Amino acid sequence: MKAIFSGIQPSGDLHIGNYIGAIQQWVSLQNQESHRFIFSIVDLHAITVYQDPEILSKRTLEVTAIYLASGIDPKKSIIFVQSDNPDHTYCAWVLNCVTNFGWLTRMTQFKDKSLKQGRANTSAGLFNYPVLMAADILLYDTDLVPVGEDQIQHVELTRDIAKKFNQVYKPIFKVPEALIDKKSARIMSLQNPLSKMSKSEVDPKAKINLTDSDSEIVEKIRKAVTDSGNEIIYDPKAKPAISNLLVIFSKFSGRSISDLQDYYKGKKYSEFKEDLAEVVVENIRPIRERYFELIDNKDYLIDLLKKGAEKAFEISHKKVLEINSAVGLGI
Ligand code: ATP
Ligand code: LTN
């Protein structure tokens, strides 16, 4: 049985980049019956940057509701909160001890975020973040990790950590692979097509949240920047804004990019944007409506998460016992 693991931080409102780059992939994978699916809400990763405590726990439930509303089925997948399973931090500590310091200093996300925040404000947790991510993945004998492009380097590091542990101690860890859909792995900001659409983006026009109303979506697409010229073609170097909109269109409509290019040949940006807005609205609406039903039913969400954590622990704890025996921990 192959295992698939992924997670999202409850560090802000989820947007269509999270959906297209991660959740949409998870939902389509979920139909493979022979696989085991584990999806976590990684709150311990979120606190590597300060989070308001009340908002954090509220967001944890919100991300859970988004998973379900998007089609993650709790009958097919284990859904749980990372901090509900103590094996993750335990395993992360052991893995920290086989992770080379130099490997972590090379992580581009750490370099970018610590540069933005300033060194004095950067936590050691942010530095060690990829090791906790490695623990998340390795505890479940994960084969595949479906993520967006920004996480490839972290999965590569996970592979290095697993290989080193297997070599130094005993070969107990499966070496996982990232699962990436090349074209859609990096949805760009609607206001700056050279930077990634991100939860932490301050300009609300730059991203479409999965809870945005129909009119907000229409407005954001209308105001999305375009490129010079008037052709609707996929060419990320020459036409980054239109290429990004084409990828979003393709992902929400199921139509191929070449089909869309043919259809919009000779048509105006405004017509293209109008159709795009309609497709995005039609796809987001059922997710949003289901989300609002679910978020009103907190007891259901909490119960589901508790059961998910129990199932996760049942799997991960076997691995913890293997780790202890391999390293010689305890008596
Ligand atoms: P932050 O602003 O805090 O870095 P984020 O929006 O990048 O947040 P994450 O929690 O880091 O969100 O990412 C969750 C998942 O969504 C990951 O698999 C990540 O690769 C994917 N993802 C995030 N942003 C995008 C994007 N713009 N395009 C495609 N995938 C994305
Ligand atoms: N670092 C990831 C979130 C994450 C993750 C994981 C993804 C934490 N643990 C394990 C896949 C597998 C991010 O998206 N920022």
Side-chain angles (χ1 to χ4, degrees):
M1 187 191 261
K2 284 208 169 178
I4 317 266
F5 186 102
S6 199
I8 295 185
Q9 307 177 68
S11 53
D13 295 326
L14 298 201
H15 50 77
I16 59 170
N18 299 127
Y19 181 73
I20 296 173
I23 305 174
Q24 199 181 28
Q25 273 204 86
W26 307 353
V27 174
S28 58
L29 284 164
Q30 217 186 199
N31 293 325
Q32 288 166 291
E33 275 176 18
S34 56
H35 292 29
R36 169 189 272 159
F37 297 95
I38 308 170
F39 300 117
S40 187
I41 298 95
V42 289
D43 54 351
L44 292 167
H45 275 105
I47 61 161
T48 54
V49 174
Y50 176 78
Q51 306 288 332
D52 180 314
E54 269 170 42
I55 296 178
L56 179 64
S57 64
K58 198 170 142 266
R59 281 208 176 120
T60 297
L61 286 185
E62 287 171 2
V63 175
T64 310
I66 288 282
Y67 282 8
L68 299 175
S70 306
I72 300 298
D73 179 351
K75 290 197 200 79
K76 295 180 181 164
S77 300
I78 299 174
I79 304 168
F80 76 105
V81 181
Q82 186 186 33
S83 63
D84 274 346
N85 182 354
D87 285 345
H88 291 243
T89 41
Y90 181 86
C91 178
W93 176 256
V94 179
L95 296 181
N96 261 314
C97 300
V98 295
T99 302
N100 293 355
F101 188 83
W103 293 352
L104 294 177
T105 58
R106 283 196 283 276
M107 292 294 110
T108 53
Q109 195 177 73
F110 173 75
K111 285 197 268 189
D112 291 350
K113 287 199 178 176
S114 57
L115 202 71
K116 252 191 221 161
Q117 291 172 198
R119 279 226 159 178
N121 292 320
T122 297
S123 69
L126 193 67
F127 186 68
N128 287 300
Y129 171 121
V131 184
L132 178 60
M133 178 162 163
D136 299 342
I137 296 168
L138 298 177
L139 276 171
Y140 299 93
D141 282 335
T142 302
D143 294 274
L144 296 172
V145 187
V147 281
E149 195 186 66
D150 58 323
Q151 297 302 316
I152 297 178
Q153 200 186 27
H154 292 157
V155 179
E156 289 297 320
L157 179 82
T158 301
R159 291 168 59 84
D160 290 339
I161 294 173
K163 285 183 200 158
K164 180 154 177 216
F165 184 100
N166 287 347
Q167 196 194 355
V168 171
Y169 293 109
K170 263 191 203 153
I172 62 164
F173 288 126
K174 203 174 240 186
V175 180
E177 268 173 50
L179 187 66
I180 305 272
D181 175 42
K182 276 217 173 92
K183 272 207 176 123
S184 60
R186 193 170 157 84
I187 300 297
M188 309 310 272
S189 151
L190 298 183
Q191 290 301 313
N192 174 9
L194 301 180
S195 88
K196 177 181 101 104
M197 187 180 286
S198 166
K199 277 196 225 107
S200 41
E201 172 65 60
V202 278
D203 180 357
K205 293 197 301 304
K207 63 187 175 102
I208 295 175
N209 292 333
L210 295 171
T211 49
D212 278 351
S213 67
D214 291 356
S215 58
E216 280 169 322
I217 297 171
V218 170
E219 197 54 19
K220 286 179 185 181
I221 292 180
R222 190 177 298 143
K223 292 205 171 125
V225 298
T226 48
D227 307 296
S228 53
N230 51 15
E231 293 158 295
I232 296 162
I233 47 167
Y234 182 78
D235 182 347
K237 284 224 169 77
K239 302 209 114 193
I242 289 295
S243 300
N244 188 42
L245 297 181
L246 273 167
V247 171
I248 296 170
F249 203 143
S250 167
K251 280 288 154 183
F252 278 116
S253 64
R255 289 164 72 182
S256 70
I257 290 189
S258 65
D259 175 33
L260 290 169
Q261 278 184 157
D262 290 346
Y263 184 82
Y264 287 100
K265 206 174 203 150
K267 297 200 168 98
K268 290 203 180 96
Y269 281 166
S270 56
E271 187 177 345
F272 170 71
K273 277 184 162 185
E274 249 170 58
D275 293 352
L276 171 63
E278 195 178 316
V279 166
V280 177
V281 162
E282 291 305 321
N283 278 270
I284 299 291
R285 189 185 294 133
I287 298 177
R288 181 185 64 232
E289 289 177 353
R290 179 101 185 96
Y291 167 82
F292 282 115
E293 277 168 32
L294 286 159
I295 205 66
D296 268 350
N297 201 344
K298 297 218 164 36
D299 291 345
Y300 168 73
L301 296 175
I302 291 169
D303 185 54
L304 182 145
L305 290 171
K306 292 294 158 211
K307 287 187 180 129
E310 281 164 24
K311 286 189 210 153
F313 184 76
E314 230 173 77
I315 305 168
S316 64
H317 211 64
K318 290 194 187 112
K319 191 55 81 182
V320 164
L321 297 180
E322 281 184 63
I323 293 171
N324 287 350
S325 148
V327 181
L329 293 167
I331 41 162

